[in-house]
Amino acid sequence: GAGVSQSPRYKVAKRGQDVALRCDPISGHVSLFWYQQALGQGPEFLTYFQNEAQLDKSGLPSDRFFAERPEGSVSTLKIQRTQQEDSAVYLCASSYPWGAGANVLTFGAGSRLTVL
Amino acid sequence: DAKTTQPNSMESNEEEPVHLPCNHSTISGTDYIHWYRQLPSQGPEYVIHGLTSNVNNRMASLAIAEDRKSSTLILHRATLRDAAVYYCIRSYGKLTFGQGTILTVHP
């Protein structure tokens, strides 16, 4: 497609439920990033893939957060046993091979998660 | 520390130029300087990036100091649609966003 597509756009979960957020990157973009953005804050890095390899997951806040990209295209961010502090917008971004940062990221519109 | 320093907010009038400053005093020689902006309820949008030389594109200009410890994003004629949060980021591996500058444009 023309841009990065994220679904669902809005998700309301009860505390303790599991959620899955999907990201469809731009075709041909081998690098994929997930960010978390709390209200009024800048995006915070969660994890980074190059093709199907997860090269950096240092930003995942706990072992309840898990991301995968099994075929090097679509990615899913899964949050188990959601807590209220998980409420945020989850942003996905993709690019050509990231490397030294000469390329640019294209972001999706985000998935807004509200945990009650 | 991969973060940059920007003013919390700035204001401008429509059709006037806007200069958004950014300090990145600990930047290394291989870090690119990226600018993104975020409109309400949208994901960040790429604006411009550069390494050493000044850069121009259809959206903006980027002026990079000779010592690369600071840079300025220049919007030549602000419009109401330019009202957004502007993020200045060093490409220290992954992009690390700070709080950004909230730009308000007055009609």
Side-chain angles (χ1 to χ4, degrees):
Chain A
V4 177
S5 177
Q6 292 189 245
S7 61
R9 285 295 316 276
Y10 303 93
K11 175 70 177 178
V12 178
K14 291 183 179 179
R15 192 170 53 146
Q17 281 185 333
D18 297 347
V19 300
L21 307 176
R22 176 187 169 104
C23 173
D24 275 277
I26 291 172
S27 178
H29 279 192
V30 301
S31 296
L32 186 145
F33 293 77
W34 282 99
Y35 284 83
Q36 179 191 58
Q37 186 170 27
L39 191 63
Q41 304 295 314
E44 295 277 350
F45 169 81
L46 293 178
T47 187
Y48 158 54
F49 290 85
Q50 184 98 317
N51 297 301
E52 68 278 5
Q54 190 174 19
L55 299 185
D56 187 344
K57 54 182 181 179
S58 61
L60 296 176
S62 77
D63 59 7
R64 297 186 296 104
F65 286 72
F66 172 75
E68 60 182 6
R69 194 185 185 199
E71 296 178 359
S73 178
V74 170
S75 178
T76 304
L77 177 67
K78 297 178 179 178
I79 309 173
Q80 297 177 325
R81 304 180 304 281
T82 53
Q83 305 293 317
Q84 284 189 324
E85 60 263 28
D86 300 334
S87 295
V89 175
Y90 291 85
L91 295 161
C92 177
S94 69
S95 80
Y96 292 111
W98 185 244
N103 284 318
V104 302
L105 292 182
T106 301
F107 282 83
S111 292
R112 179 180 296 277
L113 172 65
T114 302
V115 181
L116 303 177
Chain B
D1 181 2
K3 291 195 174 174
T4 59
T5 303
Q6 299 178 252
N8 289 333
S9 62
M10 291 186 64
E11 297 186 18
S12 174
N13 294 318
E14 204 174 8
E15 298 192 5
E16 290 184 356
V18 181
H19 291 234
L20 297 167
C22 179
N23 286 322
H24 28 79
S25 57
T26 59
I27 196 169
S28 76
T30 56
D31 290 349
Y32 279 78
I33 300 155
H34 289 247
W35 284 82
Y36 285 74
R37 71 181 185 182
Q38 188 171 24
L39 281 64
S41 300
Q42 295 187 24
E45 172 190 31
Y46 168 76
V47 177
I48 200 166
H49 76 299
L51 185 61
T52 57
S53 303
N54 294 343
V55 184
N56 299 294
N57 67 21
R58 63 175 180 80
M59 290 182 70
S61 296
L62 176 61
I64 302 172
E66 272 195 50
D67 62 7
R68 300 205 336 119
K69 294 185 176 182
S70 65
S71 63
T72 302
L73 177 70
I74 303 165
L75 306 178
H76 295 286
R77 290 182 64 195
T79 70
L80 296 179
R81 289 173 294 179
D82 290 324
V85 180
Y86 285 79
Y87 296 99
C88 167
I89 308 160
R90 290 168 47 189
S91 64
Y92 186 76
K94 55 194 176 267
L95 293 186
T96 300
F97 289 76
Q99 296 284 67
T101 297
I102 300 171
L103 176 65
T104 302
V105 180
H106 299 289

